[in-house]
Amino acid sequence: MFSMELNPVQKEAVEKTDGPIMILAGAGSGKTRTLVSRISYLLKEKDVPPYRLLALTFSNKAAREMRERVASLVNLDINSLAITTFHSFCVRVLRSEITYLGLSKNFTIYDEAESRAVIKSVLTRRGINLKEISPYEVLYFIENLKNLGHYVDRSPPYNYEVEEDHEFYSFYLEYEAELFKANALDFGGLICGVIQLFEKFPEVKKHFQERYHYVLVDEYQDTNRAQFELIKILAEKRKNICVVGDEDQSIYSWRGADIHNILDFEKVFPEVQILKLEQNYRSSKNIIEAATHVISQNTLRKGKKMWTDNPQGDSILMVDCLDDKKEASFVASELLDLYKKGTLLSDMAVFYRTNSQSRIIEDHLRANKIPYKIIGGTKFYDRKEVKDMLAYMRLVVNDKDSLALSRIINVPARGIGATSLRKLEEEAVKGSVSLWEIICAIVENSEKYSFLKISAKIKSSLREMATIISEIKVLDQEKESPVTLYEKLLHDTGYFDFLKAQKDYESLARIENLEELSSAIKQYEQSNPNPSLLGFLETITLDNSKEEEKTQGEVSLMTVHGAKGLEFPFVFLVGAEENLFPSYKSMEGGSKALEEERRLFYVAMTRAMKKLYITFARGRMLFGQIKFNGPSRFVDEIPSNFFLLHKVGHEESAFQMEEDDYFSQESPYETDKVFQLGKRSLCKFESGSKVRHSLYGEGKVLESSGTGDEEKVLIMFSGGVRKKFMASMAPIVRI
DNA sequence: CACCGTTAAGTTTTT
DNA sequence: CTTAACGGTG
């Protein structure tokens, strides 16, 4: 029954169950179907008990989808199946075993913002100005270590270099000590923690190695070194490891994903069988062939040759727009047109490189009354008021979490300002106890701490707060429902009244958000057999995706990153311009970064099933000024026989258009800026154009902004020298 | 200690 | 154009 819907290679991928196997699955090649079939094959045909299987994915979305599809194929309780994300798997391991590492089972998980806050406090404590050393850089350094699988005192040999004499390494050590004291782990620490557990305690390792007979990894191209180490250990004994990935879709290297995990898989598992799924079932020939041309410019590849039996299909429509507004209005009117011809709105999607591009598109969709939804970009749990309440909850669950406590110690205002907090923190450090413990000590025995010179008013504030938290801690231990605990916290701490007292519009919105948080907790309670505050907090840190509303009939808007794994009959890829896509940052990063941008472009193209639109704007409002970047280089990499060029907002080609003609047309815009623009001449040095400077010699324009006398250009000269000039003043000429 | 004005900088973001 | 973060003032 499995072979019926599978092609020969897919069938092989399903039935070669034993020994290491790497499946290189191109976009739209039926990857998920193959994986799901493989799992049900193992369960049904090979009689593998469900608990012997471990399938690891990256996103909760992918895990959910796979679980549902397996469940529909196999008549089994899916809860006994470990189809889960790397991080959730590690949390599960650690919740039962972490005492080996000296933490307790109620450990907190810090997200990136919290990690950054810890780093800031480490730096500040050392008297380092945050301008001298950016916390972001330190965070990046630490994350990198963790992406490699490093942990403090890991004993060699490990296959990476650690600069222990690096200035930042001492920050890392201190950061780790802080987290340890707070009984907390960050995202990377979850993975590294399990590696550490396995390496230091062979009996634990043995237990898990014997538990899982078959290990599967989805989206393998996005694994980092640490995750690879982890699966290597898990599969060491039986070597029944199956990884599925596509090196051409590796788009998270900036986050530690290591393409060498794919390129070097055979070195670690020499007996590996490599299968390539090259037939695409998703897109038209035109789209596949055009995308193939683009991706073939990359050098870091295993090399797959995608092909399809699908019809040739429509040409790609390349849309050359005068500016970003024209681009947005084109997209809106085309969507409307397609809709009128009977296309479902849910079959259409708009992709952009950066989130900031969504706004102008949204404006035009709203103006045309086109329903849309934005995928990703969830910032709900980033809101101040939500984070405050979460901090209260974290404190209840884990009172060692001094970061959470210091966040809310004066919210709402209790008269405990920075000075008092610093005193408390210093005292906590001195006695090497947590902030919470020192506060409890002061409340219980204030005479002993009279030398701290804490006013009676502050002491009574502390007492009041400590009492409330303690009460709720007891209720939590008595397994009171999370939503009850939340409501009690919200009101007893005075947070609700504090917001209520402010009558401004913003506070009203905040109260609404807190109500939404309450319903999120209720939702969690309903979908969990044993709900707890700890469980809720874990769920939202590891899975911040909002509940998918099942509303049909909306156009989807998302970043290209967000589009991975999805497909749509009609796709609009907007903003295909130099400096935007590829992003200006990637152009500094050399060919590696550029190749990743190309993969990203490739991912975007291969989402489209029937028709792909690629649009670019000649002028675009960026950072408050109009920039003129040329079309993306990736556009040039698509051979012209695959697309039709369509121009919007300017009748003739802007490439050769006379400057006067350019603005003599009836301008549909009312804004002053464009009017002013029209009075001056167009920029003379588009990005990409070659110039000669009387001093520096030949160079290439990287960036051009402003027009006429205001035109500024950034030029890269040979030898990598970059200079910025006023175009009208600098001795430069076009060549 | 809270508020306001100035300044600087500005990707992508599965967990 | 935005937003976040800092420094100064009341």
Side-chain angles (χ1 to χ4, degrees), chain A residues 647 650-655 657-658 661 665:
Chain A
K647 292 196 166 87
H650 43 109
E651 270 117 47
E652 287 160 40
S653 162
F655 290 107
M657 191 186 286
E658 290 295 318
D661 291 343
Q665 329 165 15

Side-chain angles (χ1 to χ4, degrees), chain A residues 625 628 659 676-685 704-713 724-730 732:
Chain A
Q625 46 185 340
F628 298 89
E659 283 167 18
Q676 279 177 10
L677 243 172
K679 292 207 158 183
R680 294 178 186 166
S681 62
L682 188 59
C683 67
K684 289 197 175 69
F685 302 95
S704 156
S705 62
T707 52
D709 292 346
E710 298 289 305
E711 184 179 358
K712 294 188 189 82
V713 287
K724 215 169 186 171
F725 302 103
M726 292 289 285
S728 55
M729 307 300 280
I732 45 175

Side-chain angles (χ1 to χ4, degrees), chain A residues 442-650:
Chain A
I442 291 170
V443 166
E444 274 163 32
N445 189 353
S446 66
E447 276 101 75
K448 200 178 142 196
Y449 291 94
S450 56
F451 65 93
L452 284 175
K453 299 208 168 60
I454 289 173
S455 71
K457 196 176 139 235
I458 290 179
K459 269 181 202 156
S460 80
S461 292
L462 287 174
R463 176 172 300 113
E464 196 186 336
M465 189 193 67
T467 315
I468 294 163
I469 302 289
S470 301
E471 251 177 56
I472 295 176
K473 279 173 82 75
V474 173
L475 290 175
D476 182 41
Q477 272 146 30
E478 288 168 353
K479 303 219 182 329
E480 182 57 80
S481 83
V483 74
T484 313
L485 298 173
Y486 167 77
E487 295 290 342
K488 206 164 157 50
L489 272 174
L490 183 59
H491 291 97
D492 291 3
T493 58
Y495 199 96
F496 186 80
D497 292 336
F498 152 75
L499 280 183
K500 201 81 196 248
Q502 300 164 7
K503 301 239 185 270
D504 55 312
Y505 179 78
E506 213 183 322
S507 303
L508 283 175
R510 292 193 166 165
I511 289 175
E512 269 175 37
N513 288 332
L514 290 177
E515 278 160 8
E516 204 176 322
L517 179 58
S518 169
S519 58
I521 300 174
K522 276 181 207 146
Q523 214 160 53
Y524 157 80
E525 281 180 15
Q526 275 156 21
S527 56
N528 266 279
N530 296 309
S532 65
L533 265 195
L534 178 71
F536 174 71
L537 292 171
E538 182 179 306
T539 309
I540 58 162
T541 5
L542 292 183
D543 181 5
N544 61 6
S545 68
K546 273 190 303 211
E547 278 296 306
E548 276 284 318
E549 283 172 48
K550 292 237 165 98
T551 44
Q552 287 288 316
E554 289 167 318
V555 176
S556 301
L557 269 58
M558 66 195 86
T559 64
V560 182
H561 282 90
K564 201 184 74 171
L566 304 176
E567 60 181 25
F568 296 90
F570 296 88
V571 165
F572 292 77
L573 175 57
V574 302
E577 293 141 44
E578 286 289 287
N579 291 322
L580 188 61
F581 200 174
S583 78
Y584 72 98
K585 266 274 168 51
S586 71
M587 326 249 285
E588 300 167 0
S591 67
K592 262 196 174 168
L594 198 66
E595 291 207 356
E596 176 142 326
E597 293 284 314
R598 189 176 284 110
R599 289 193 292 271
L600 199 53
F601 201 88
Y602 171 80
V603 167
M605 290 181 78
T606 53
R607 301 306 97 195
M609 300 161 81
K610 281 190 178 150
K611 182 148 185 174
L612 173 64
Y613 297 78
I614 300 176
T615 70
F616 54 87
R618 294 287 162 174
R620 175 180 299 274
M621 196 62 147
L622 271 175
F623 304 144
Q625 46 185 340
I626 298 173
K627 301 234 173 179
F628 298 89
N629 302 309
S632 168
R633 65 190 64 196
F634 304 138
V635 166
D636 295 333
E637 289 169 7
I638 302 173
S640 57
N641 53 314
F642 293 114
F643 66 82
L644 293 171
L645 189 63
H646 179 66
K647 292 196 166 87
V648 170
H650 43 109

